[in-house]
Amino acid sequence: MRYRSILIYVSNAIDLEHRIRLAARLTSGEPATVIGLAISGVSRFMSQILPATSGSGKDVLPSEGQERREKKHLDMAASLERFEVLAQECGIVRTQTLYVDDDAATALSNYGNAADLIILGKSELHGVNDGKESDFIEFVALNAAAPVLMISEKPFSRRHALIAWNRSSAASRAVRNAIPLLQDVSAVSAVIFGDGMVPDAGASASEDELNQCLTSLGKPLAVLHRPATADVGHALLALAAELDADLIVMGCVAHPRWRGVLLGGTTGVVIAESPVSLLLSR
């Protein structure tokens, strides 16, 4: 089992090369496509209503706004060119480049529906112009069909993965979606806090169900039990540090899907504070 289509958010972030190298490893030896998506941050509706120039060649935007938009498009083109160069250096055979006028959250959610994996960087949490967009990693994870791999400060060296396991369907999907990543990881652990129950589940988390999700992995799994806690997010991060894990796999709870109410709870805490990479799936 491998990812056949990987979508990378292309920007001028310093970890772009890390994202591309990781995609190259995940697609090595497979007929897979790595897609580089650059996003202007300009609403696609505004782009249609206010084109940079009219058909007669006269400006229809104020010169200052037009210059900013043209500079943004030049920056996007340069980022995509860098993506192509790095992808070739990493041995990626099949690539595709796209640039769109839209906000980052919406574009990644929409284009991510056609991919097997979306790779973002935690640097995006600090690189969005509109403060209301700062939660967009969780927004993408909740709205795109593909799982999201968030690269964080601590390098993902495929040493130890920690699965946050409970009774939710999101946790089951996250585990299944993570298998191509876990195949290259040296050690895999899972943790159950308390009985692992979630609202409306009606039963405790089952180690048997977890093992069934990982049948195709073919490597040992260490299951850890920790006391129930109201602060699962920080408890999970503390355990990851204790184990020296460099990847956390977890399901995203389906909060109402509009911005401004996403961050908070376990998912929000882990996204905001995790020093290690995350595989998120709804």
Side-chain angles (χ1 to χ4, degrees):
M1 178 180 176
R2 288 285 179 180
Y3 301 118
R4 297 300 181 93
S5 176
I6 296 179
L7 178 68
I8 296 178
Y9 181 18
V10 174
S11 65
N12 59 3
I14 59 174
D15 63 358
L16 178 60
E17 183 174 354
H18 186 191
R19 303 180 205 182
I20 294 171
R21 290 192 181 281
L22 180 55
R25 184 177 180 91
L26 290 171
T27 59
S28 178
E30 298 289 334
T33 301
V34 179
I35 305 164
L37 175 64
I39 307 166
S40 70
V42 178
S43 166
R44 64 183 184 277
F45 302 111
M46 290 301 295
S47 177
Q48 294 167 2
I49 295 171
L50 298 173
T53 58
S54 67
S56 62
K58 296 182 179 180
D59 294 346
V60 296
L61 282 178
S63 58
E64 184 179 348
Q66 179 183 335
E67 288 174 3
R68 284 199 303 267
R69 184 178 174 199
E70 289 176 350
K71 182 180 184 304
K72 183 64 178 178
H73 279 244
L74 287 173
D75 289 343
M76 292 165 65
S79 295
L80 288 173
E81 183 176 351
R82 181 173 174 239
F83 164 82
E84 289 275 28
V85 170
L86 290 171
Q88 185 175 15
E89 290 177 354
C90 293
I92 297 175
V93 177
R94 296 168 58 178
T95 62
Q96 181 182 357
T97 56
L98 301 168
Y99 67 87
V100 298
D101 283 325
D102 212 339
D103 68 85
T106 302
L108 286 162
S109 298
N110 291 339
Y111 283 88
N113 288 331
D116 293 329
L117 180 70
I118 303 168
I119 300 181
L120 306 176
K122 192 172 183 179
S123 56
E124 263 76 62
L125 280 173
H126 313 293
V128 183
N129 294 328
D130 184 350
K132 294 180 181 178
E133 300 279 3
S134 63
D135 58 0
F136 89 96
I137 288 180
E138 187 178 5
F139 182 91
V140 175
L142 287 170
N143 286 277
V148 171
L149 176 60
M150 185 190 85
I151 303 300
S152 198
E153 294 94 343
K154 186 175 182 179
F156 175 45
S157 56
R158 298 171 294 279
R159 182 177 55 258
H160 196 153
L162 175 61
I163 298 169
W165 181 247
N166 59 28
R167 183 70 179 181
S168 70
S169 57
S172 298
R173 283 190 292 270
V175 169
R176 291 194 295 270
N177 287 331
I179 287 176
L181 272 172
L182 299 178
Q183 287 172 340
D184 291 332
V185 174
S186 299
V188 181
S189 299
V191 59
I192 300 173
F193 289 99
D195 59 11
M197 286 188 65
V198 294
D200 302 324
S204 302
S206 166
E207 290 187 29
D208 289 338
E209 289 182 2
L210 173 58
N211 287 319
Q212 288 174 10
C213 290
L214 291 171
T215 300
S216 62
L217 184 59
K219 63 175 58 180
L221 172 69
V223 180
L224 309 173
H225 291 266
R226 291 293 185 269
T229 174
D231 189 359
V232 173
H234 286 109
L236 180 62
L237 293 175
L239 179 59
E242 178 186 328
L243 298 175
D244 197 22
D246 53 3
L247 176 68
I248 295 174
V249 176
M250 63 184 297
C252 287
V253 178
H255 296 296
R257 296 180 187 180
W258 54 83
R259 293 167 201 172
V261 296
L262 290 172
L263 284 179
T266 300
T267 307
V269 166
V270 174
I271 289 176
E273 301 184 25
S274 176
V276 304
S277 298
L278 307 174
L279 189 288
L280 305 166
S281 183
R282 63 179 173 89

